[in-house]
Amino acid sequence: MSNVTQDTAVRTSTVTRIFIYGLLILFAAYYLMPLFVMIVNSLKPLSEITSGNMMALPEVWTLEPWRQAWSKAQIGIEPTGLKPYFLNSILIVVPAVFISTIVGAMNGYVLTKWRFRGDTLVFGALLFSCFIPFQIVLIPMAVVLGKMGIAGSIPGLVLVHVVYGIGFTTLYYRNYYAVFPTELVRAAQIDGAGFFRIFWRIMLPISGPITVVSVIWQFTNIWNDFLFGASFAGQQQPMTVALNNLVQSSTGVKEYNVHFAGAILAALPTLLVYIVAGRYFVRGLMAGSVKG
């Protein structure tokens, strides 16, 4: 009787597992279908797409749509493709991610290890900034950038993203450092280490997991941003704004294969970041959630 019950349980477990995996595969296929359509049609001549056969594999494989999207497509006055706008996004993302991450780490360090009267209110204000909609800060930010003389420039966009991202990075590092033993900081002070030496030699070296979280979060938000780029970029537009201008062009023939290739090029950096470091994202979020 025991053997029959055990066999039945094994069969039931196998059937359940097959059902779960089948359901997950179905959901994954449904989720990946748009990506499949984009990739397949970016490798076709336009004539194959306009014939109405978008789901089929290309009869003639070509990389010409990718070359046009990268260096030949008409986006602004000159047929430059997405290349210069890709470089603009790099020039915006790299310093903005670096500065906001360092400032967030410094804020988290101060709010947990160098506490002062009113530090809770300061953290609450920074936390509140995480929930302010983008649209609310457009006019105040435009006024500030205009008075600073950096409106319509890459440094202006860097400043916008740094200011908006500090609340998130501070939250990450503050929660992470809160579980770090304060006694180690006090011991370093007794040994003569100062504020910055403790930060650079003790706190930052143990911040690897949460730094990955901060970098992924900031990189993704800044690279995918459209509203700030469209509002403050001027002529130095980021990738997302240029892609929108390419797709929304009202003149000439709609080159869907070029549009698909451009969309993949725009999404490629964030996709690579998640492929390379995505597994560390949840690990970093959980690293500071449990003490001990």
Side-chain angles (χ1 to χ4, degrees), residues 89-165:
S89 289
I90 294 293
L91 294 175
I92 294 168
V93 167
V94 173
V97 169
F98 177 78
I99 296 172
S100 60
T101 299
I102 291 296
V103 173
M106 187 75 72
N107 289 343
Y109 169 52
V110 171
L111 292 171
T112 54
K113 306 308 175 188
W114 296 77
R115 302 193 63 177
F116 53 90
R117 181 178 297 180
D119 63 331
T120 304
L121 294 177
V122 173
F123 176 65
L126 288 170
L127 185 62
F128 178 74
S129 69
C130 298
F131 302 98
I132 298 178
F134 285 10
Q135 294 82 353
I136 292 180
V137 302
L138 289 180
I139 295 179
M141 191 65 72
V143 173
V144 171
L145 294 178
K147 290 185 177 181
M148 293 179 66
I150 54 176
S153 66
I154 288 179
L157 268 178
V158 170
L159 177 62
V160 170
H161 288 297
V162 167
V163 170
Y164 204 86

Side-chain angles (χ1 to χ4, degrees), residues 55-70:
M55 298 297 294
L57 293 176
E59 296 178 5
V60 178
W61 296 79
T62 177
L63 291 176
E64 185 59 27
W66 289 77
R67 284 191 287 268
Q68 289 189 17
W70 179 248

Side-chain angles (χ1 to χ4, degrees), residues 176 208-210 212-213 279-289:
Y176 187 81
I210 204 64
V212 172
V213 172
R279 59 178 176 173
Y280 300 107
F281 187 78
V282 176
R283 187 182 306 175
L285 285 176
M286 297 298 294
S289 62

Side-chain angles (χ1 to χ4, degrees), residues 39-41 43-45 48 56-62:
I39 294 175
V40 166
N41 286 279
L43 299 171
K44 291 179 181 179
E48 288 190 35
L57 293 176
E59 296 178 5
V60 178
W61 296 79
T62 177

Side-chain angles (χ1 to χ4, degrees), residues 6-291:
Q6 185 176 1
D7 292 342
T8 303
V10 170
R11 287 196 301 270
T12 303
S13 177
T14 302
V15 172
T16 302
R17 191 179 297 112
I18 293 174
F19 174 76
I20 292 174
Y21 284 144
L23 198 61
L24 291 175
I25 292 173
L26 180 63
F27 286 156
Y30 180 79
Y31 182 79
L32 293 174
M33 184 60 68
L35 180 61
F36 170 79
V37 172
M38 291 173 62
I39 294 175
V40 166
N41 286 279
S42 70
L43 299 171
K44 291 179 181 179
L46 183 60
S47 58
E48 288 190 35
I49 299 177
T50 55
S51 66
N53 202 9
M54 296 185 66
M55 298 297 294
L57 293 176
E59 296 178 5
V60 178
W61 296 79
T62 177
L63 291 176
E64 185 59 27
W66 289 77
R67 284 191 287 268
Q68 289 189 17
W70 179 248
S71 60
K72 298 179 181 179
Q74 186 80 35
I75 297 175
I77 299 176
E78 300 292 334
T80 59
L82 293 172
K83 181 179 179 179
Y85 305 98
F86 186 92
L87 297 177
N88 287 343
S89 289
I90 294 293
L91 294 175
I92 294 168
V93 167
V94 173
V97 169
F98 177 78
I99 296 172
S100 60
T101 299
I102 291 296
V103 173
M106 187 75 72
N107 289 343
Y109 169 52
V110 171
L111 292 171
T112 54
K113 306 308 175 188
W114 296 77
R115 302 193 63 177
F116 53 90
R117 181 178 297 180
D119 63 331
T120 304
L121 294 177
V122 173
F123 176 65
L126 288 170
L127 185 62
F128 178 74
S129 69
C130 298
F131 302 98
I132 298 178
F134 285 10
Q135 294 82 353
I136 292 180
V137 302
L138 289 180
I139 295 179
M141 191 65 72
V143 173
V144 171
L145 294 178
K147 290 185 177 181
M148 293 179 66
I150 54 176
S153 66
I154 288 179
L157 268 178
V158 170
L159 177 62
V160 170
H161 288 297
V162 167
V163 170
Y164 204 86
I166 284 176
F168 293 98
T169 57
T170 299
L171 172 64
Y172 297 147
Y173 280 97
R174 188 264 180 191
N175 290 344
Y176 187 81
Y177 289 154
V179 301
F180 184 78
T182 306
E183 291 77 10
L184 293 179
V185 176
R186 300 292 177 258
Q189 287 181 289
I190 293 174
D191 290 338
F195 177 88
F196 289 103
R197 187 174 183 183
I198 295 173
F199 177 70
W200 291 108
R201 300 294 295 274
I202 297 177
M203 304 303 293
L204 274 187
I206 56 94
S207 304
I210 204 64
T211 298
V212 172
V213 172
S214 178
V215 169
I216 291 178
W217 177 268
Q218 283 294 91
F219 183 92
T220 303
N221 282 346
I222 297 173
W223 187 272
N224 292 335
D225 169 69
F226 175 80
L227 182 60
F228 287 156
S231 302
F232 304 127
Q235 297 300 316
Q236 297 178 308
Q237 298 172 345
M239 188 75 161
T240 50
V241 178
L243 177 63
N244 177 74
N245 294 339
L246 171 65
V247 174
Q248 297 296 330
S249 175
S250 58
T251 59
V253 178
K254 289 287 186 180
E255 297 179 307
Y256 297 107
N257 49 356
V258 177
H259 297 171
F260 285 133
I264 296 172
L265 287 171
L268 201 57
T270 52
L271 182 62
L272 291 177
V273 166
Y274 273 102
I275 290 175
V276 173
R279 59 178 176 173
Y280 300 107
F281 187 78
V282 176
R283 187 182 306 175
L285 285 176
M286 297 298 294
S289 62
V290 180
K291 189 172 183 178

